[in-house]
Amino acid sequence: MSTPSNAHPSVVTIHGRSRPRVLFSGSRLVEVDLPVGSRVVYPKPPMKGLPDVDAAIRYAIDHPEGGDPLHAKLRPGMKVTIAIDDISLPLPPMRRPDIRERVLDIVLPMLADYGVEDIHLIVATCFHRPMTAGEIERMVGSRTFREYWPDRLYNHDAEKPGGLTEIGTTDAGEVVEISTRAATSDLLIYINLNFVPMDGGHKSAAVGLCGYRSLRAHHTPGAIRKSDSYMDPESSELNHRVVRMGRLLNQHLDVFTIETTVNNRMFGGELAFLAKNEDDWSPREQLAAKALVKTLDTLPMKARQAVFEKVPAPYEVTGVFAGETEAAHAKTLDKCFEQYAVPVEGQADILVTGVPYISPYNVNAFLNPLLVSVLIEGYLHNLYRGVPLVKEGGTVIAFHPCTDHFDKDQHLAYVEFVHKLLPKTRDAMELHKKYEREFASNPAYVQLYRTGNAYHPAHPFFMWYWGENGRQHIGRVIIVGADNEYIPSLLGYETAETFAEALQMARETAPPDPSLTCLHICPMLMADVTPLDDDESARRGLRLLPGGA
């Protein structure tokens, strides 16, 4: 039996026969029998949402952190720009009304009450793909969409001639350049939905509204290598550079930040059991899981993905904080870690994880091979504070088909990056120095970004860099369930037909009786990992039993 989940609901060690764990493998689910001695790290249960979200919004903007209330900043005839986080968060999109709609429904009437008429709303996409009109309407609400789209509500265009204004240069030489409309406004209001701790704060305006000259300061292999988890702002070189740039921006521009947090209630209705420990499933939920696994196996790829994408997540708002950027963001981070951070004692020699179908960079599109690597060595690896879940040089066993498929509207530049550049080199520094600028200025790709639904041509480079600290730390990645060998090999991975085969492969290079941890995601979690020496790890039962199965 496993340790009862009510004794420690987020960390379970398997001491005997137990139910298989159900993990994502793209848009499929797989049942995995973990060996005796394995440890499973689950997300915390969802925090309770705020009882009155609209009241919380009004209170936050009237009682801000470290600054004057929003109404005190308003005057007739002033020029105001409202920037809004894009569709990349939360994952998947939340049920309507989106929290950004609720904030706008309170802020926009306040501006009107104070005689403010010159208002633009910018979706802060940076180098992400432009949102479609339908996606924007769903996010901001029909009333705001009808009044402002498309002349005063639009996507940020980082390549628009004359569309960027240089604010200045930091002491470290980083160029701060943002949207001209925002830079020339009397007030910039930023509405943020914080889903992971790397987002929000100064990253909102200083990155969301910038261009290539600013991104080159921090979206680099060097910055990621120096980030001991870019999900932990205090240990993130990426964050340190962004903070320098954001502080300079805020010295020259009046910025009023509104940040919101949600719980991790990713699944609702008939899929709610996916967020629970399998040992806690009712007989009905066990049958539902079996049926879902089999059903997804029989469906074509698009239909499988639609099962999850077409059901909005029932996230609940847990916090609203406003005012000076850093002061508000500190409150946001406290709430984020309260929901996500799971205390874990000791690292593992082998880390097992599913790879879900969705990331911030493929909303309404297929998770292409480059984004699979972003999740494995980037996001999932960096979901820690303290030390990584897997030991340095350890092995990651990940479940994903690694299908050689790309969305041609969103990710056309990714195809050339993966199939032309990665066969030449996987070295992030070489890619950065030899190829990035040429790609970034490719006129055909830039035009698709400006007028179509495509990510900027520099974006696949940034995505490869996003996994750089994971690649430097992890010894091996073994993919279970790949439908081809070419893509995993191109990414630097090995393949195994079954989990048993992958585990046998991992043991060949692991210490005797290796420890194994399974990261049970989704929903979202972060591991607060305290390192233990080998003797202490063994004493606490974090070793696999010899040959245990």
Side-chain angles (χ1 to χ4, degrees), residues 308-325:
F308 298 105
E309 284 186 340
K310 301 304 181 184
V311 181
Y315 295 117
E316 298 169 289
V317 178
T318 57
V320 183
F321 311 100
E324 191 275 327
T325 302

Side-chain angles (χ1 to χ4, degrees), residues 59-108:
Y59 184 88
I61 62 179
D62 287 340
H63 302 83
E65 308 292 332
D68 295 328
L70 179 58
H71 65 78
K73 294 176 176 287
L74 305 178
R75 65 181 187 278
M78 72 186 304
K79 182 178 181 180
V80 174
T81 295
I82 302 175
I84 315 160
D85 276 349
D86 71 356
I87 199 174
S88 61
L89 298 172
L91 303 173
M94 67 190 300
R95 286 180 184 168
R96 298 188 69 176
D98 190 290
I99 183 57
R100 287 158 287 204
E101 175 183 351
R102 301 182 77 160
V103 174
L104 287 169
D105 283 350
I106 290 171
V107 169
L108 288 173

Side-chain angles (χ1 to χ4, degrees), residues 193-213:
L193 197 167
N194 220 83
F195 190 64
V196 291
M198 71 174 292
D199 291 324
H202 285 298
K203 188 172 180 286
S204 292
V207 177
L209 297 175
C210 79
Y212 187 49
R213 288 207 299 162

